Amino acid sequence: MSDSVFRKKSVVKAIADVDEGHASHMNKVLGVRDLTSFGIAAIIGAGIFSTIGRASVNGGPAVSLLFVFTAIACVFTALSYAQFASTVPVSGSAYTYAYVSFGEIFAWIIGWALILEYAVSNMVVAISWSEYFTSMLEGFGVHFPSYWATDYGSAAKAYALVQASATPAELPAHTRELAQAFQDAPALGSLKFIADLPAGFVTVLITALVYVGIKESRAASNLLVVLKLAVIGLVIAAGAFYVKPENWSPFAPNGVAGVLSGVASVFFAFIGFDSISTTAEECKNPQRDLPRAMIYCLIICTVLYVLITLVLTGMVNYKELGVDDPLAYVFQKVGLDAIAGVISVSAVVAITSALLVYQLGQPRIWMTMSRDGLLWPRFSKIHPRYRTPSFATIVTGFLVAIPSLFLDMQFFIDLTSVGTFFAFILVCAGILFLDAKGLSKHSKFKVPYINGKYIIGLALVVAMFLVLRAGGLLSGMQEKPLLAVFWLTWALFSVLSFRYNFSLLPVLGILTNLYLMTELGISNWAIFLVWLVIGLVIYFSYGYRKSKLAAETAP
């Protein structure tokens, strides 16, 4: 069995599979501008309009530096993605790259993780859209019932806090509003009927658009991104006049630990560049345009995130940003209700573009897995008129819409990161595989080669010296046992790099992503492991037997 589960797909076969059968051909209409637009649409979504506030509550203004650190980690990964995209221009993202590099079982794990990543990311975006939508309606004097615009768990928790508090008036306004929503909700006996209807509605609407076709999705995305960037420009330009430097002090109120506690929220904001690679089969020139688009959108988005974070934390105290609509909130706080209204209206439209890109990406991963025989054939069915993976798109709509009606945003944010980090690590490691096997010569874009022979080992010695001098090595590993894995991995790569002259940048991508993984809580890992077990059951009960590679290698 070991030989079978590690069977690999060649680069030639991965590309050839795309061309099998007329029905699999998709519309090749995307250029570098469209791809960059898709990347910006995905990266500047709920992250900048919502989760940036939650990250700032613990990290303070220093979260701006966390965005830089995370972006650097993503640049190493994006370069690796770009090389793979130029080598294997197939709509499978990290799933396809792992299939070529490490074999079928790793490809399945990554594909299964990406299914969770995309679905969960869209749930966060849909919930954030709902918050801004109801805020927009309030601006027009239309009151949408709060119990139809939140999840049951958040409302019930807020109600319990208010009931237990001796001074409820001192609790945050958002908490009191949720408690009131719970109290006002229609009930059947003790059962309260609470659901986030706008989140479900917008998911269905976007699913319909994605179902209709890539041209329509491209046009909508480009328009929405222009609007989104205009809103962000307005926030930065107008907000800069209301920045109070004293709000930046202390810059890191809870130290490094407080800053890093926002890793899940911050990293969630950047995973969108992965979605660009899922559209490879709809690109005019994927080997040229995909690498460019990935780098362009990462640079643009990092600059915007840092500026937005500094403006938000400068306008109000960081402790006040634990809301789902921080951009609108800070302008209301300083008395600029008109701008807050513009932001709410624009955010409703702009966040939709992130929803569109994620909803576009997930069906194409399922389509590729199905084409390889690992999922049921219907997932790779292409609509004869719209040229989209129709069945996979519909299933994606249900998978996102239903949970977004009932579950909490923070739950979803915490859930996205483990699988994504794992996928990123394998993509970076895959570049080392391509180099070792001589396959990089087929790449039209290559990760810039810097010989890591001595650098990686020397960096390990310096890092260990600094940590030991600070006396934080053992205590750090006691608090976060995964740090032991991080240090051992770094030591292993120091030896391997010395022996095999590994390229420095992919190794840095592996190490930075692995370090960020150590900052995630145990609940992230527990839920991911449950998801992984479910996926492995499906693989061994169906995909392992039905794999096209299995049929080709059978005697």
Side-chain angles (χ1 to χ4, degrees):
M1 180 183 289
S2 60
D3 293 336
S4 298
V5 297
F6 293 110
R7 52 199 171 213
K8 296 172 185 173
K9 181 186 285 193
S10 69
V11 172
V12 173
K13 175 161 180 56
I15 297 173
D17 284 348
V18 177
D19 298 324
E20 286 184 5
H22 176 72
S24 67
H25 294 173
M26 303 172 79
N27 290 326
K28 296 183 180 295
V29 298
L30 303 177
V32 66
R33 185 180 65 180
D34 304 314
L35 294 167
T36 304
S37 176
F38 275 137
I40 293 172
I43 295 174
I44 302 182
I48 210 159
F49 283 101
S50 183
T51 59
I52 193 172
R54 292 171 179 263
S56 300
V57 170
N58 288 324
V63 165
S64 56
L65 299 181
L66 181 57
F67 276 108
V68 175
F69 177 61
T70 308
I72 291 171
C74 285
V75 165
F76 298 141
T77 308
L79 289 170
S80 299
Y81 262 91
Q83 180 169 334
F84 264 116
S86 74
T87 311
V88 196
V90 175
S91 294
S93 183
Y95 159 78
T96 299
Y97 308 155
Y99 216 152
V100 168
S101 305
F102 302 107
E104 189 170 277
I105 187 66
F106 283 103
W108 171 267
I109 291 171
I110 291 302
W112 191 245
L114 288 174
I115 289 172
L116 179 67
E117 171 199 323
Y118 278 92
V120 168
S121 297
N122 250 359
M123 293 170 199
V124 174
V125 177
I127 294 168
S128 179
W129 186 93
S130 174
E131 289 277 349
Y132 276 98
F133 176 72
T134 53
S135 176
M136 178 192 73
L137 292 182
E138 288 289 347
F140 287 109
V142 178
H143 177 70
F144 192 88
S146 300
Y147 46 81
W148 292 135
T150 190
D151 64 281
Y152 183 92
S154 296
K157 181 180 178 180
Y159 182 75
L161 285 172
V162 169
Q163 293 298 107
S165 175
T167 54
E170 295 180 5
L171 291 173
H174 188 61
T175 301
R176 287 182 275 120
E177 289 168 7
L178 285 175
Q180 190 63 45
F182 184 85
Q183 186 172 329
D184 295 341
L188 181 63
S190 59
L191 178 64
K192 295 281 188 176
F193 292 98
I194 299 173
D196 198 337
L197 296 184
F201 168 76
V202 72
T203 302
V204 173
L205 193 67
I206 291 299
T207 302
L209 176 61
V210 171
Y211 183 91
V212 168
I214 189 68
K215 288 183 180 179
E216 292 77 9
S217 300
R218 176 190 64 177
S221 175
N222 289 342
L223 176 63
L224 295 173
V225 165
V226 170
L227 174 60
K228 182 187 296 189
L229 293 178
V231 173
I232 292 169
L234 172 66
V235 170
I236 294 171
F241 291 100
Y242 292 87
V243 167
K244 297 178 180 178
E246 58 266 28
N247 285 329
W248 289 335
S249 181
F251 192 67
N254 296 309
V256 175
V259 175
L260 291 176
S261 69
V263 162
S265 296
V266 169
F267 190 76
F268 161 81
F270 279 100
I271 62 179
F273 78 85
D274 167 276
S275 62
I276 300 175
S277 61
T278 67
T279 63
E281 292 171 36
E282 290 147 296
C283 298
K284 297 174 185 176
N285 189 342
Q287 293 174 311
R288 180 196 67 190
D289 293 343
L290 283 171
R292 292 181 181 180
M294 289 179 184
I295 303 304
Y296 291 163
C297 71
L298 266 181
I299 293 171
I300 293 168
C301 295
T302 301
V303 172
L304 292 177
Y305 267 119
V306 171
L307 292 175
I308 281 285
T309 306
L310 291 174
V311 168
L312 290 184
T313 54
M315 289 177 70
V316 301
N317 187 279
Y318 68 92
K319 295 178 182 178
E320 300 181 46
L321 292 173
V323 296
D324 288 332
D325 54 349
L327 270 66
Y329 173 80
V330 294
F331 281 97
Q332 289 174 338
K333 187 74 177 178
V334 297
L336 295 179
D337 291 335
I339 293 181
V342 170
I343 291 171
S344 292
V345 173
S346 303
V348 168
V349 181
I351 293 178
T352 309
S353 64
L355 191 62
L356 187 151
V357 175
Y358 285 122
Q359 207 71 348
L360 197 70
Q362 183 171 337
R364 283 150 180 78
I365 293 174
W366 281 357
M367 174 190 72
T368 309
M369 295 175 74
S370 173
R371 197 162 55 200
D372 291 332
L374 303 186
L375 286 176
W376 295 269
R378 290 198 67 185
F379 282 95
S380 57
K381 180 180 178 182
I382 303 298
H383 194 283
R385 177 183 174 188
Y386 301 128
R387 317 307 298 169
T388 58
S390 50
F391 179 76
T393 299
I394 293 171
V395 173
T396 298
F398 279 107
L399 187 66
V400 173
I402 294 174
S404 65
L405 289 170
F406 304 108
L407 297 178
D408 174 46
M409 178 186 284
Q410 190 60 48
F411 171 81
F412 291 128
I413 293 172
D414 292 340
L415 195 54
T416 59
S417 300
V418 177
T420 307
F421 282 130
F422 189 48
F424 283 7
I425 286 171
L426 282 190
V427 170
C428 293
I431 297 301
L432 302 178
F433 170 83
L434 292 183
D435 290 344
K437 296 296 182 181
L439 297 174
S440 291
K441 63 184 179 184
H442 301 298
S443 305
K444 294 191 176 182
F445 173 89
K446 296 180 182 178
V447 176
Y449 179 78
I450 301 172
N451 193 337
K453 185 179 184 72
Y454 301 109
I455 298 174
I456 296 169
L458 287 174
L460 173 64
V461 172
V462 172
M464 288 291 290
F465 171 75
L466 293 174
V467 172
L468 286 171
R469 191 173 72 168
L473 182 64
L474 293 178
S475 61
M477 286 191 289
Q478 287 174 350
E479 293 176 15
K480 300 167 186 172
L482 270 175
L483 277 174
V485 176
F486 168 75
W487 289 113
L488 288 173
T489 302
W490 196 344
L492 176 63
F493 272 107
S494 298
V495 174
L496 294 176
S497 297
F498 184 80
R499 291 187 60 183
Y500 300 110
N501 297 318
F502 277 174
S503 177
L504 176 64
L505 298 185
V507 174
L508 290 178
I510 293 168
L511 293 176
T512 49
N513 281 301
L514 184 59
Y515 179 77
L516 289 170
M517 285 180 86
T518 67
E519 294 296 327
L520 300 177
I522 191 66
S523 61
N524 304 62
W525 286 95
I527 297 170
F528 176 71
L529 289 174
V530 170
W531 178 255
L532 181 60
V533 168
I534 294 171
L536 289 174
V537 169
I538 295 174
Y539 171 72
F540 285 108
S541 62
Y542 182 86
Y544 173 72
R545 295 180 296 105
K546 298 291 185 178
S547 166
K548 289 188 177 180
L549 282 188
E552 291 170 6
T553 56

